[in-house]
Amino acid sequence: MNIVKRRRWQVAESAATPEALFWDRRAVLAGFGGLAAGAALMARPARADDDPLARLLPAKRNEAFKLDRPLTPEADNASYNNFYEFGTSKSVAGAAKRLKTRPWQVTIDGLVEAPITLDFTELVQKMPLEERLYRLRCVEAWSMTIPWTGFALAELVKLAKPTSGAKYLKMQTFMDPSQSPYQRSPGYPWPYTEGLTLAEATNDLAFIAVGAYGKPLPNQHGAPLRLAVPWKYGFKSVKSIVRFTFTAERPKTFWEQLQDSEYGFWANVNPEVSHPRWSQAHERVLSTGESVPTQLYNGYAAEVAHLYKDIKGERLFM
């Protein structure tokens, strides 16, 4: 008899329902032969300007990553976003449309065997894509549950081949005020910079998202690729990444530079550690407005708490 050991968050998926209009291209191909299959593919409507990424989606769901609450409706998820490059309100989707995400160059450099720059489409074709259901907890005390599509950040680390001196991974978003007028704003330390230790970056949960809800990421989510680290507050999940730099020195992140008394490097979720201006004990579930208790490490303590057991004298939770 096979005994399956479930991860702590592998509980019933509640009412989460995949999009009704998702369709499986492999099933279409299996049902037609040769020219008929080609005709069927040619007849389907073009998606995202026939983006090569769109042809890889939807990806197979990794059933190891499940939720204890329903998915956030796609429309709500798409219309309530933080993206300071395009404004300080939550209604940035319209402004973010000006960002050109194809072509998109990604640089991997620093303490690696051989620095490389490659196009996003080339990078994503090297990676094993999958869908994962993750919680997202914002430091502003609201939360979502999202079906991300992407690849484990550990796969990118493997591709980069960091040298023994690399201790941290620094990630930066684009810098182009012609597309992002807010990058002309004085007082902000552009470009947006984030960082993880290599141990965090290679943890099983660390994920690079290139899609959501079975489709390529919309711009307001950080297209074409963004970080998703569900045990940390949302501001750690840097968007529209153009550079991954392996370094021996801890990077100074965007929010640390802006206001380090309120936002630290680690930014792990903890209901018992309040923000200086509000409690983190509860969170408001987006779309329902329900208030639910916040969980330590956003419910992922069993998977990540060991990363911090030997770190002393640091603000691990804000």
Side-chain angles (χ1 to χ4, degrees):
M1 180 176 68
N2 294 327
I3 299 176
V4 178
K5 185 178 179 182
R6 293 184 176 274
R7 299 174 188 253
R8 201 165 62 84
W9 73 84
Q10 282 185 260
V11 293
E13 202 173 324
S14 298
T17 305
E19 288 185 282
L21 296 181
F22 277 4
W23 51 284
D24 187 344
R25 289 190 303 279
R26 289 189 177 91
V28 172
L29 289 172
F32 295 91
L35 293 175
L41 287 172
M42 291 176 66
R44 69 172 173 84
R47 298 191 303 176
D49 296 323
D50 208 27
D51 184 348
L53 174 60
R55 298 198 295 271
L56 300 175
L57 302 182
K60 183 178 180 181
R61 179 173 294 178
N62 186 334
E63 296 296 341
F65 302 91
K66 292 190 176 182
L67 297 172
D68 58 354
R69 64 188 73 163
L71 291 177
T72 300
E74 183 179 0
D76 292 341
N77 177 250
S79 60
Y80 195 86
N81 312 99
N82 284 322
F83 203 163
Y84 276 73
E85 285 79 355
F86 296 100
T88 56
S89 78
K90 296 295 187 289
S91 302
V92 296
K97 288 180 180 179
R98 66 166 59 97
L99 180 63
K100 183 182 178 182
T101 61
R102 302 291 190 278
W104 188 271
Q105 297 296 297
V106 179
T107 296
I108 301 173
D109 63 4
L111 300 177
V112 296
E113 287 187 8
I116 56 171
T117 296
L118 64 171
D119 189 76
F120 164 73
T121 22
E122 183 183 356
L123 173 64
V124 81
Q125 287 169 349
K126 293 177 180 291
M127 296 296 161
L129 296 184
E130 61 183 62
E131 182 180 76
R132 296 184 181 185
L133 307 183
Y134 274 178
R135 300 184 190 93
L136 171 66
R137 174 60 158 81
C138 183
V139 74
E140 298 167 342
W142 53 265
S143 63
M144 299 188 191
T145 47
I146 305 168
W148 296 119
T149 299
F151 54 88
L153 181 52
E155 294 290 335
L156 185 140
V157 175
K158 188 188 305 182
L159 175 69
K161 297 184 175 66
T163 65
S164 60
K167 305 300 181 187
Y168 298 91
L169 176 57
K170 180 170 76 171
M171 291 155 281
Q172 289 183 305
T173 192
F174 70 96
M175 182 66 189
D176 185 355
S178 70
Q179 297 189 77
S180 167
Y182 273 78
Q183 288 183 329
R184 301 190 187 100
S185 302
Y188 286 92
W190 307 113
Y192 200 105
T193 299
E194 262 304 339
L196 300 171
T197 66
L198 276 196
E200 291 176 318
T202 54
N203 182 272
D204 190 35
L205 288 176
F207 199 62
I208 295 294
V210 300
Y213 298 88
K215 306 165 187 173
L217 282 179
N219 284 9
Q220 66 269 27
H221 285 342
L225 71 169
R226 61 165 288 163
L227 180 66
V229 277
W231 71 97
K232 294 178 178 287
Y233 289 113
F235 66 85
K236 290 291 293 184
S237 293
V238 56
K239 295 182 172 183
S240 302
I241 304 170
V242 297
R243 186 178 296 273
F244 296 87
T245 300
F246 292 81
T247 174
E249 302 296 327
R250 183 192 295 185
K252 194 76 169 177
T253 66
F254 180 89
W255 283 101
E256 280 186 288
Q257 294 178 71
L258 195 61
Q259 200 162 5
D260 64 357
S261 64
E262 296 189 356
Y263 307 99
F265 174 81
W266 300 101
N268 298 313
V269 176
N270 189 334
E272 297 182 2
V273 179
S274 295
H275 186 278
R277 289 177 282 135
W278 57 80
S279 170
Q280 297 289 7
H282 289 78
E283 62 200 63
R284 176 176 58 88
V285 178
L286 193 74
S287 77
T288 70
E290 180 186 7
S291 177
V292 299
T294 297
Q295 300 179 60
L296 181 63
Y297 293 105
N298 201 24
Y300 299 98
E303 292 68 47
V304 300
H306 68 278
L307 297 171
Y308 311 103
K309 63 184 178 62
D310 296 325
I311 299 175
K312 309 297 180 183
E314 299 220 30
R315 293 183 302 153
L316 294 175
F317 301 104
M318 187 55 60

